[in-house]
Amino acid sequence: MLRRERRSVLAAEPVGPYTLLRVDRGDLEPGAPGQFFMLEAPGRVLPRPMSLCLATPGELAFLIDPIGPGTRALCGLRAGEQLGILGPLGNGFRLDVERPLLVGGGIGVAPLPYLSECLGRPPAVLGFRSVWHAEAAALVPNAEVVIEPTYVTEAMHAGHDVLACGPEPMLQAVRRLTPHAQLAWEAPMACGYGACHGCVVEVDGQLKRLCVEGPVLAAA
Ligand SMILES: Cc1cc2nc3c(=O)[nH]c(=O)nc-3n(C[C@H](O)[C@H](O)[C@H](O)COP(=O)(O)OP(=O)(O)OC[C@H]3O[C@@H](n4cnc5c(N)ncnc54)[C@H](O)[C@@H]3O)c2cc1C
Ligand code: FES
């Protein structure tokens, strides 16, 4: 069930260039893998959407790439500080797949650890731009890792049900290879629950709010 809470930070741990932000779970439900939460650092006007990375009975964890002011404020939180958290939101991955293959690129690995646990640790292929970024692969069981200039699509095996998250060019390439893949897309999001229309994207010729219809969409 969707909840809005203020929760305490348990730890903010470096993982390569990223930060694993571990938050006291309280009464929050983790939701389905691929769903997301809006995280609001103290003093910030707008929250930021983050995929759930890991869930245990006591905590929720988010893997965050500090690319701008909002994500840097979240990565700078310290144990004991509080943040606002709203979720779970959106539509996650369908788990009724026979031969799952998880495909991730860069910070797109963020939802894959929780997805892997929910699917019984299937194989994964992960692509990163450097060995430093690839430290995040340690969070995903049974992962094969490729580093640029090799692309993750070159390591994909045929005959699988693909569930992917990563930068848009990677998702477009995955879609060309596997037309029935489930793909987690991104768009800037101000509210996360359908009110602001800030996340509108064109899907099958129709305008959709990605926070409501997605972020996971069927590729075809
Ligand atoms: C459903 C969803 C789940 C996400 N999960 C994660 C996650 O698990 N970990 C993580 O690190 N990030 C995740 N993101 C992306 C993250 O929300 C953005 O990086 C963040 O909002 C940027 O905020 P900022 O204030 O740091 O930077 P800003 O100043 O807002 O942006 C910095 C730069 O990034 C671009 N940008 C910002 N947001 C997006 C976006 N959503 N898509 C494309 N370009 C963008 C801006 O145009 C700008 O150039 C997710 C986004 C969505 C929509
Ligand atoms: S983020 Fe506000 S409508 Fe989608």
mmCIF file of all heavy atoms in Angstrom, residues 67-107:
data_model
loop_
_atom_site.group_PDB
_atom_site.id
_atom_site.type_symbol
_atom_site.label_atom_id
_atom_site.label_comp_id
_atom_site.label_asym_id
_atom_site.label_seq_id
_atom_site.Cartn_x
_atom_site.Cartn_y
_atom_site.Cartn_z
ATOM 1 N N ILE A 67 24.184 12.873 -9.932
ATOM 2 C CA ILE A 67 24.380 13.610 -11.199
ATOM 3 C C ILE A 67 23.929 15.061 -11.121
ATOM 4 O O ILE A 67 24.163 15.816 -12.052
ATOM 5 C CB ILE A 67 23.615 12.934 -12.370
ATOM 6 C CG1 ILE A 67 22.115 12.903 -12.084
ATOM 7 C CG2 ILE A 67 24.175 11.568 -12.689
ATOM 8 C CD1 ILE A 67 21.288 12.786 -13.342
ATOM 9 N N GLY A 68 23.258 15.468 -10.048
ATOM 10 C CA GLY A 68 22.753 16.839 -9.957
ATOM 11 C C GLY A 68 22.456 17.172 -8.507
ATOM 12 O O GLY A 68 22.737 16.375 -7.605
ATOM 13 N N PRO A 69 21.860 18.330 -8.266
ATOM 14 C CA PRO A 69 21.673 18.782 -6.882
ATOM 15 C C PRO A 69 20.795 17.855 -6.032
ATOM 16 O O PRO A 69 21.090 17.632 -4.854
ATOM 17 C CB PRO A 69 21.041 20.168 -7.029
ATOM 18 C CG PRO A 69 20.685 20.320 -8.453
ATOM 19 C CD PRO A 69 21.476 19.354 -9.259
ATOM 20 N N GLY A 70 19.709 17.327 -6.625
ATOM 21 C CA GLY A 70 18.808 16.472 -5.847
ATOM 22 C C GLY A 70 19.465 15.165 -5.446
ATOM 23 O O GLY A 70 19.389 14.726 -4.286
ATOM 24 N N THR A 71 20.113 14.521 -6.397
ATOM 25 C CA THR A 71 20.771 13.233 -6.103
ATOM 26 C C THR A 71 21.997 13.447 -5.214
ATOM 27 O O THR A 71 22.287 12.615 -4.347
ATOM 28 C CB THR A 71 21.169 12.522 -7.412
ATOM 29 O OG1 THR A 71 21.773 13.466 -8.296
ATOM 30 C CG2 THR A 71 19.963 11.895 -8.079
ATOM 31 N N ARG A 72 22.699 14.586 -5.380
ATOM 32 C CA ARG A 72 23.862 14.836 -4.503
ATOM 33 C C ARG A 72 23.389 15.039 -3.059
ATOM 34 O O ARG A 72 24.035 14.582 -2.117
ATOM 35 C CB ARG A 72 24.656 16.046 -4.983
ATOM 36 C CG ARG A 72 25.598 15.705 -6.134
ATOM 37 C CD ARG A 72 26.683 16.762 -6.322
ATOM 38 N NE ARG A 72 26.146 18.021 -6.817
ATOM 39 C CZ ARG A 72 25.994 18.307 -8.118
ATOM 40 N NH1 ARG A 72 26.355 17.431 -9.038
ATOM 41 N NH2 ARG A 72 25.495 19.450 -8.495
ATOM 42 N N ALA A 73 22.239 15.712 -2.866
ATOM 43 C CA ALA A 73 21.712 15.911 -1.500
ATOM 44 C C ALA A 73 21.353 14.560 -0.875
ATOM 45 O O ALA A 73 21.605 14.327 0.313
ATOM 46 C CB ALA A 73 20.490 16.824 -1.542
ATOM 47 N N LEU A 74 20.784 13.660 -1.676
ATOM 48 C CA LEU A 74 20.433 12.327 -1.137
ATOM 49 C C LEU A 74 21.700 11.538 -0.799
ATOM 50 O O LEU A 74 21.782 10.893 0.255
ATOM 51 C CB LEU A 74 19.578 11.560 -2.148
ATOM 52 C CG LEU A 74 18.147 12.090 -2.341
ATOM 53 C CD1 LEU A 74 17.503 11.472 -3.575
ATOM 54 C CD2 LEU A 74 17.298 11.811 -1.102
ATOM 55 N N CYS A 75 22.701 11.592 -1.676
ATOM 56 C CA CYS A 75 23.940 10.839 -1.429
ATOM 57 C C CYS A 75 24.713 11.415 -0.241
ATOM 58 O O CYS A 75 25.517 10.716 0.373
ATOM 59 C CB CYS A 75 24.830 10.850 -2.672
ATOM 60 S SG CYS A 75 24.142 9.897 -4.049
ATOM 61 N N GLY A 76 24.475 12.695 0.073
ATOM 62 C CA GLY A 76 25.193 13.333 1.183
ATOM 63 C C GLY A 76 24.557 13.103 2.540
ATOM 64 O O GLY A 76 25.084 13.571 3.556
ATOM 65 N N LEU A 77 23.418 12.409 2.584
ATOM 66 C CA LEU A 77 22.767 12.151 3.866
ATOM 67 C C LEU A 77 23.644 11.246 4.728
ATOM 68 O O LEU A 77 24.381 10.394 4.218
ATOM 69 C CB LEU A 77 21.396 11.500 3.647
ATOM 70 C CG LEU A 77 20.315 12.433 3.076
ATOM 71 C CD1 LEU A 77 19.093 11.640 2.637
ATOM 72 C CD2 LEU A 77 19.920 13.471 4.131
ATOM 73 N N ARG A 78 23.535 11.422 6.031
ATOM 74 C CA ARG A 78 24.324 10.627 6.978
ATOM 75 C C ARG A 78 23.393 9.816 7.870
ATOM 76 O O ARG A 78 22.226 10.172 8.039
ATOM 77 C CB ARG A 78 25.188 11.544 7.854
ATOM 78 C CG ARG A 78 26.239 12.297 7.080
ATOM 79 C CD ARG A 78 27.401 11.366 6.685
ATOM 80 N NE ARG A 78 28.289 11.977 5.713
ATOM 81 C CZ ARG A 78 28.297 11.690 4.406
ATOM 82 N NH1 ARG A 78 27.434 10.815 3.906
ATOM 83 N NH2 ARG A 78 29.140 12.266 3.589
ATOM 84 N N ALA A 79 23.910 8.758 8.471
ATOM 85 C CA ALA A 79 23.119 7.919 9.384
ATOM 86 C C ALA A 79 22.478 8.793 10.461
ATOM 87 O O ALA A 79 23.135 9.669 11.025
ATOM 88 C CB ALA A 79 24.018 6.863 10.018
ATOM 89 N N GLY A 80 21.185 8.549 10.696
ATOM 90 C CA GLY A 80 20.455 9.296 11.711
ATOM 91 C C GLY A 80 19.663 10.464 11.142
ATOM 92 O O GLY A 80 18.696 10.920 11.758
ATOM 93 N N GLU A 81 20.058 10.973 9.945
ATOM 94 C CA GLU A 81 19.284 12.054 9.330
ATOM 95 C C GLU A 81 17.983 11.487 8.759
ATOM 96 O O GLU A 81 17.887 10.282 8.481
ATOM 97 C CB GLU A 81 20.098 12.725 8.218
ATOM 98 C CG GLU A 81 21.249 13.565 8.751
ATOM 99 C CD GLU A 81 21.892 14.405 7.658
ATOM 100 O OE1 GLU A 81 22.670 13.820 6.873
ATOM 101 O OE2 GLU A 81 21.627 15.607 7.588
ATOM 102 N N GLN A 82 16.999 12.369 8.578
ATOM 103 C CA GLN A 82 15.696 11.917 8.078
ATOM 104 C C GLN A 82 15.479 12.391 6.646
ATOM 105 O O GLN A 82 16.024 13.415 6.224
ATOM 106 C CB GLN A 82 14.595 12.471 8.967
ATOM 107 C CG GLN A 82 14.613 11.875 10.377
ATOM 108 C CD GLN A 82 13.211 11.662 10.899
ATOM 109 O OE1 GLN A 82 12.351 12.499 10.707
ATOM 110 N NE2 GLN A 82 12.979 10.537 11.556
ATOM 111 N N LEU A 83 14.671 11.611 5.919
ATOM 112 C CA LEU A 83 14.243 12.039 4.577
ATOM 113 C C LEU A 83 12.768 11.701 4.405
ATOM 114 O O LEU A 83 12.235 10.838 5.124
ATOM 115 C CB LEU A 83 15.088 11.391 3.470
ATOM 116 C CG LEU A 83 14.835 9.940 3.076
ATOM 117 C CD1 LEU A 83 15.475 9.644 1.740
ATOM 118 C CD2 LEU A 83 15.361 8.986 4.130
ATOM 119 N N GLY A 84 12.122 12.410 3.469
ATOM 120 C CA GLY A 84 10.746 12.091 3.130
ATOM 121 C C GLY A 84 10.727 10.988 2.094
ATOM 122 O O GLY A 84 11.573 10.971 1.189
ATOM 123 N N ILE A 85 9.775 10.072 2.216
ATOM 124 C CA ILE A 85 9.732 8.947 1.275
ATOM 125 C C ILE A 85 8.273 8.609 0.987
ATOM 126 O O ILE A 85 7.456 8.509 1.906
ATOM 127 C CB ILE A 85 10.539 7.747 1.832
ATOM 128 C CG1 ILE A 85 10.461 6.530 0.921
ATOM 129 C CG2 ILE A 85 10.183 7.393 3.241
ATOM 130 C CD1 ILE A 85 11.536 5.491 1.231
ATOM 131 N N LEU A 86 7.955 8.481 -0.308
ATOM 132 C CA LEU A 86 6.592 8.199 -0.760
ATOM 133 C C LEU A 86 6.629 7.023 -1.733
ATOM 134 O O LEU A 86 7.381 7.041 -2.706
ATOM 135 C CB LEU A 86 6.022 9.435 -1.478
ATOM 136 C CG LEU A 86 4.699 9.238 -2.238
ATOM 137 C CD1 LEU A 86 3.548 9.046 -1.254
ATOM 138 C CD2 LEU A 86 4.421 10.428 -3.155
ATOM 139 N N GLY A 87 5.839 5.986 -1.463
ATOM 140 C CA GLY A 87 5.813 4.860 -2.401
ATOM 141 C C GLY A 87 5.224 3.617 -1.766
ATOM 142 O O GLY A 87 4.732 3.663 -0.633
ATOM 143 N N PRO A 88 5.230 2.482 -2.469
ATOM 144 C CA PRO A 88 5.779 2.307 -3.815
ATOM 145 C C PRO A 88 4.836 2.868 -4.887
ATOM 146 O O PRO A 88 3.629 2.864 -4.715
ATOM 147 C CB PRO A 88 5.902 0.781 -3.933
ATOM 148 C CG PRO A 88 4.833 0.242 -3.028
ATOM 149 C CD PRO A 88 4.719 1.214 -1.886
ATOM 150 N N LEU A 89 5.438 3.328 -6.010
ATOM 151 C CA LEU A 89 4.706 4.023 -7.067
ATOM 152 C C LEU A 89 4.928 3.347 -8.420
ATOM 153 O O LEU A 89 5.953 2.700 -8.654
ATOM 154 C CB LEU A 89 5.197 5.470 -7.159
ATOM 155 C CG LEU A 89 4.902 6.364 -5.941
ATOM 156 C CD1 LEU A 89 5.846 7.560 -5.921
ATOM 157 C CD2 LEU A 89 3.455 6.830 -5.955
ATOM 158 N N GLY A 90 3.962 3.542 -9.321
ATOM 159 C CA GLY A 90 4.101 3.084 -10.705
ATOM 160 C C GLY A 90 3.896 1.590 -10.863
ATOM 161 O O GLY A 90 3.467 0.894 -9.946
ATOM 162 N N ASN A 91 4.187 1.121 -12.077
ATOM 163 C CA ASN A 91 4.064 -0.299 -12.411
ATOM 164 C C ASN A 91 5.444 -0.906 -12.548
ATOM 165 O O ASN A 91 6.290 -0.397 -13.287
ATOM 166 C CB ASN A 91 3.310 -0.473 -13.742
ATOM 167 C CG ASN A 91 1.827 -0.234 -13.566
ATOM 168 O OD1 ASN A 91 1.215 -0.764 -12.648
ATOM 169 N ND2 ASN A 91 1.256 0.585 -14.429
ATOM 170 N N GLY A 92 5.667 -2.025 -11.860
ATOM 171 C CA GLY A 92 6.959 -2.696 -11.905
ATOM 172 C C GLY A 92 7.008 -3.763 -12.984
ATOM 173 O O GLY A 92 6.179 -3.800 -13.903
ATOM 174 N N PHE A 93 8.012 -4.649 -12.864
ATOM 175 C CA PHE A 93 8.183 -5.746 -13.818
ATOM 176 C C PHE A 93 7.150 -6.848 -13.538
ATOM 177 O O PHE A 93 6.843 -7.151 -12.390
ATOM 178 C CB PHE A 93 9.588 -6.353 -13.671
ATOM 179 C CG PHE A 93 10.703 -5.449 -14.117
ATOM 180 C CD1 PHE A 93 11.427 -4.706 -13.194
ATOM 181 C CD2 PHE A 93 11.035 -5.340 -15.465
ATOM 182 C CE1 PHE A 93 12.464 -3.874 -13.604
ATOM 183 C CE2 PHE A 93 12.068 -4.518 -15.883
ATOM 184 C CZ PHE A 93 12.783 -3.778 -14.951
ATOM 185 N N ARG A 94 6.642 -7.465 -14.617
ATOM 186 C CA ARG A 94 5.839 -8.689 -14.473
ATOM 187 C C ARG A 94 6.795 -9.831 -14.139
ATOM 188 O O ARG A 94 7.853 -9.979 -14.763
ATOM 189 C CB ARG A 94 5.086 -9.002 -15.771
ATOM 190 C CG ARG A 94 3.851 -8.179 -16.009
ATOM 191 C CD ARG A 94 3.107 -8.698 -17.241
ATOM 192 N NE ARG A 94 3.899 -8.590 -18.454
ATOM 193 C CZ ARG A 94 4.582 -9.583 -19.014
ATOM 194 N NH1 ARG A 94 4.564 -10.803 -18.493
ATOM 195 N NH2 ARG A 94 5.287 -9.382 -20.113
ATOM 196 N N LEU A 95 6.423 -10.662 -13.184
ATOM 197 C CA LEU A 95 7.315 -11.739 -12.747
ATOM 198 C C LEU A 95 6.907 -13.097 -13.313
ATOM 199 O O LEU A 95 7.543 -14.109 -13.018
ATOM 200 C CB LEU A 95 7.341 -11.792 -11.207
ATOM 201 C CG LEU A 95 7.766 -10.477 -10.531
ATOM 202 C CD1 LEU A 95 7.763 -10.625 -9.008
ATOM 203 C CD2 LEU A 95 9.137 -10.018 -11.012
ATOM 204 N N ASP A 96 5.849 -13.134 -14.164
ATOM 205 C CA ASP A 96 5.382 -14.396 -14.742
ATOM 206 C C ASP A 96 6.162 -14.722 -16.011
ATOM 207 O O ASP A 96 5.601 -14.830 -17.100
ATOM 208 C CB ASP A 96 3.878 -14.327 -15.029
ATOM 209 C CG ASP A 96 3.529 -13.173 -15.974
ATOM 210 O OD1 ASP A 96 4.350 -12.243 -16.120
ATOM 211 O OD2 ASP A 96 2.444 -13.216 -16.570
ATOM 212 N N VAL A 97 7.484 -14.864 -15.885
ATOM 213 C CA VAL A 97 8.353 -15.153 -17.036
ATOM 214 C C VAL A 97 9.049 -16.489 -16.802
ATOM 215 O O VAL A 97 9.385 -16.833 -15.674
ATOM 216 C CB VAL A 97 9.400 -14.028 -17.243
ATOM 217 C CG1 VAL A 97 8.731 -12.780 -17.773
ATOM 218 C CG2 VAL A 97 10.135 -13.708 -15.952
ATOM 219 N N GLU A 98 9.264 -17.247 -17.896
ATOM 220 C CA GLU A 98 9.812 -18.606 -17.748
ATOM 221 C C GLU A 98 11.333 -18.625 -17.693
ATOM 222 O O GLU A 98 11.928 -19.361 -16.912
ATOM 223 C CB GLU A 98 9.321 -19.486 -18.907
ATOM 224 C CG GLU A 98 7.873 -19.881 -18.719
ATOM 225 C CD GLU A 98 7.360 -20.743 -19.848
ATOM 226 O OE1 GLU A 98 8.166 -21.214 -20.678
ATOM 227 O OE2 GLU A 98 6.136 -20.923 -19.893
ATOM 228 N N ARG A 99 11.991 -17.842 -18.577
ATOM 229 C CA ARG A 99 13.469 -17.880 -18.642
ATOM 230 C C ARG A 99 14.028 -16.462 -18.524
ATOM 231 O O ARG A 99 14.489 -15.874 -19.513
ATOM 232 C CB ARG A 99 13.933 -18.527 -19.956
ATOM 233 C CG ARG A 99 13.527 -19.983 -20.104
ATOM 234 C CD ARG A 99 14.295 -20.611 -21.249
ATOM 235 N NE ARG A 99 15.723 -20.651 -20.979
ATOM 236 C CZ ARG A 99 16.658 -20.635 -21.938
ATOM 237 N NH1 ARG A 99 16.324 -20.549 -23.207
ATOM 238 N NH2 ARG A 99 17.940 -20.682 -21.619
ATOM 239 N N PRO A 100 13.963 -15.881 -17.304
ATOM 240 C CA PRO A 100 14.360 -14.477 -17.173
ATOM 241 C C PRO A 100 15.844 -14.239 -17.404
ATOM 242 O O PRO A 100 16.688 -15.051 -17.020
ATOM 243 C CB PRO A 100 13.990 -14.136 -15.719
ATOM 244 C CG PRO A 100 13.857 -15.428 -15.013
ATOM 245 C CD PRO A 100 13.481 -16.457 -16.034
ATOM 246 N N LEU A 101 16.151 -13.131 -18.067
ATOM 247 C CA LEU A 101 17.514 -12.613 -18.184
ATOM 248 C C LEU A 101 17.434 -11.125 -17.823
ATOM 249 O O LEU A 101 16.710 -10.366 -18.467
ATOM 250 C CB LEU A 101 18.049 -12.764 -19.614
ATOM 251 C CG LEU A 101 19.438 -12.138 -19.844
ATOM 252 C CD1 LEU A 101 20.520 -12.922 -19.094
ATOM 253 C CD2 LEU A 101 19.773 -12.081 -21.343
ATOM 254 N N LEU A 102 18.168 -10.742 -16.777
ATOM 255 C CA LEU A 102 18.180 -9.340 -16.364
ATOM 256 C C LEU A 102 19.279 -8.618 -17.138
ATOM 257 O O LEU A 102 20.402 -9.122 -17.252
ATOM 258 C CB LEU A 102 18.442 -9.226 -14.860
ATOM 259 C CG LEU A 102 17.614 -10.134 -13.944
ATOM 260 C CD1 LEU A 102 17.819 -9.741 -12.490
ATOM 261 C CD2 LEU A 102 16.143 -10.112 -14.321
ATOM 262 N N VAL A 103 18.963 -7.456 -17.680
ATOM 263 C CA VAL A 103 19.925 -6.689 -18.471
ATOM 264 C C VAL A 103 19.972 -5.275 -17.886
ATOM 265 O O VAL A 103 18.938 -4.615 -17.764
ATOM 266 C CB VAL A 103 19.518 -6.639 -19.958
ATOM 267 C CG1 VAL A 103 20.514 -5.819 -20.761
ATOM 268 C CG2 VAL A 103 19.413 -8.055 -20.529
ATOM 269 N N GLY A 104 21.184 -4.845 -17.491
ATOM 270 C CA GLY A 104 21.318 -3.526 -16.874
ATOM 271 C C GLY A 104 22.484 -2.765 -17.441
ATOM 272 O O GLY A 104 23.513 -3.342 -17.797
ATOM 273 N N GLY A 105 22.331 -1.432 -17.504
ATOM 274 C CA GLY A 105 23.418 -0.574 -17.951
ATOM 275 C C GLY A 105 23.616 0.562 -16.980
ATOM 276 O O GLY A 105 22.659 1.273 -16.642
ATOM 277 N N GLY A 106 24.843 0.728 -16.477
ATOM 278 C CA GLY A 106 25.154 1.840 -15.581
ATOM 279 C C GLY A 106 24.262 1.844 -14.357
ATOM 280 O O GLY A 106 24.002 0.803 -13.747
ATOM 281 N N ILE A 107 23.742 3.036 -14.015
ATOM 282 C CA ILE A 107 22.884 3.148 -12.815
ATOM 283 C C ILE A 107 21.572 2.382 -13.015
ATOM 284 O O ILE A 107 20.836 2.132 -12.057
ATOM 285 C CB ILE A 107 22.644 4.632 -12.445
ATOM 286 C CG1 ILE A 107 21.955 4.765 -11.088
ATOM 287 C CG2 ILE A 107 21.842 5.341 -13.537
ATOM 288 C CD1 ILE A 107 22.683 4.142 -9.924
#
